PDB file of all heavy atoms in Angstrom:
ATOM      1  N   GLU A  18     -16.098  10.294 -27.684  1.00  0.00           N
ATOM      2  CA  GLU A  18     -16.601  11.657 -27.885  1.00  0.00           C
ATOM      3  C   GLU A  18     -18.047  11.788 -27.399  1.00  0.00           C
ATOM      4  O   GLU A  18     -18.471  12.859 -26.971  1.00  0.00           O
ATOM      5  CB  GLU A  18     -16.494  12.029 -29.370  1.00  0.00           C
ATOM      6  CG  GLU A  18     -16.011  13.429 -29.538  1.00  0.00           C
ATOM      7  CD  GLU A  18     -15.602  13.756 -30.968  1.00  0.00           C
ATOM      8  OE1 GLU A  18     -15.417  12.814 -31.777  1.00  0.00           O
ATOM      9  OE2 GLU A  18     -15.479  14.959 -31.258  1.00  0.00           O
ATOM     10  N   ARG A  28      -7.694   0.543 -21.182  1.00  0.00           N
ATOM     11  CA  ARG A  28      -6.699  -0.544 -21.042  1.00  0.00           C
ATOM     12  C   ARG A  28      -5.304  -0.034 -21.381  1.00  0.00           C
ATOM     13  O   ARG A  28      -4.315  -0.387 -20.729  1.00  0.00           O
ATOM     14  CB  ARG A  28      -7.081  -1.724 -21.949  1.00  0.00           C
ATOM     15  CG  ARG A  28      -8.314  -2.449 -21.470  1.00  0.00           C
ATOM     16  CD  ARG A  28      -8.752  -3.528 -22.453  1.00  0.00           C
ATOM     17  NE  ARG A  28     -10.075  -4.010 -22.106  1.00  0.00           N
ATOM     18  CZ  ARG A  28     -10.322  -4.944 -21.182  1.00  0.00           C
ATOM     19  NH1 ARG A  28      -9.322  -5.521 -20.555  1.00  0.00           N
ATOM     20  NH2 ARG A  28     -11.555  -5.313 -20.921  1.00  0.00           N
ATOM     21  N   GLY A  42       0.953   1.562  -7.799  1.00  0.00           N
ATOM     22  CA  GLY A  42      -0.474   1.303  -7.674  1.00  0.00           C
ATOM     23  C   GLY A  42      -1.306   2.263  -8.504  1.00  0.00           C
ATOM     24  O   GLY A  42      -0.785   3.244  -9.061  1.00  0.00           O
ATOM     25  N   ASP A  73      -3.074  -8.629 -10.895  1.00  0.00           N
ATOM     26  CA  ASP A  73      -2.501  -8.431  -9.563  1.00  0.00           C
ATOM     27  C   ASP A  73      -1.143  -7.727  -9.638  1.00  0.00           C
ATOM     28  O   ASP A  73      -0.348  -7.798  -8.705  1.00  0.00           O
ATOM     29  CB  ASP A  73      -2.324  -9.792  -8.867  1.00  0.00           C
ATOM     30  CG  ASP A  73      -3.670 -10.478  -8.652  1.00  0.00           C
ATOM     31  OD1 ASP A  73      -4.647  -9.758  -8.376  1.00  0.00           O
ATOM     32  OD2 ASP A  73      -3.727 -11.725  -8.773  1.00  0.00           O
ATOM     33  N   ARG A  91     -22.830  -0.405  -2.797  1.00  0.00           N
ATOM     34  CA  ARG A  91     -22.871  -1.380  -3.907  1.00  0.00           C
ATOM     35  C   ARG A  91     -21.535  -1.394  -4.648  1.00  0.00           C
ATOM     36  O   ARG A  91     -20.964  -2.457  -4.904  1.00  0.00           O
ATOM     37  CB  ARG A  91     -24.000  -1.019  -4.893  1.00  0.00           C
ATOM     38  CG  ARG A  91     -25.372  -1.517  -4.477  1.00  0.00           C
ATOM     39  CD  ARG A  91     -26.361  -1.421  -5.642  1.00  0.00           C
ATOM     40  NE  ARG A  91     -26.550  -0.062  -6.099  1.00  0.00           N
ATOM     41  CZ  ARG A  91     -27.481   0.789  -5.638  1.00  0.00           C
ATOM     42  NH1 ARG A  91     -28.327   0.412  -4.702  1.00  0.00           N
ATOM     43  NH2 ARG A  91     -27.583   2.014  -6.127  1.00  0.00           N
ATOM     44  N   GLY A 250      -4.679  23.223 -17.617  1.00  0.00           N
ATOM     45  CA  GLY A 250      -5.793  22.357 -17.180  1.00  0.00           C
ATOM     46  C   GLY A 250      -5.214  20.958 -17.024  1.00  0.00           C
ATOM     47  O   GLY A 250      -4.864  20.337 -18.043  1.00  0.00           O
ATOM     48  N   VAL A 288       5.333  17.456 -24.131  1.00  0.00           N
ATOM     49  CA  VAL A 288       5.807  16.241 -24.813  1.00  0.00           C
ATOM     50  C   VAL A 288       7.305  16.384 -25.081  1.00  0.00           C
ATOM     51  O   VAL A 288       8.086  15.462 -24.834  1.00  0.00           O
ATOM     52  CB  VAL A 288       5.043  16.015 -26.144  1.00  0.00           C
ATOM     53  CG1 VAL A 288       5.509  14.740 -26.825  1.00  0.00           C
ATOM     54  CG2 VAL A 288       3.542  16.009 -25.921  1.00  0.00           C
TER      55      VAL A 288
END
Side-chain angles (χ1 to χ4, degrees):
E18 222 168 345
R28 290 175 192 277
D73 297 324
R91 277 194 299 270
V288 182

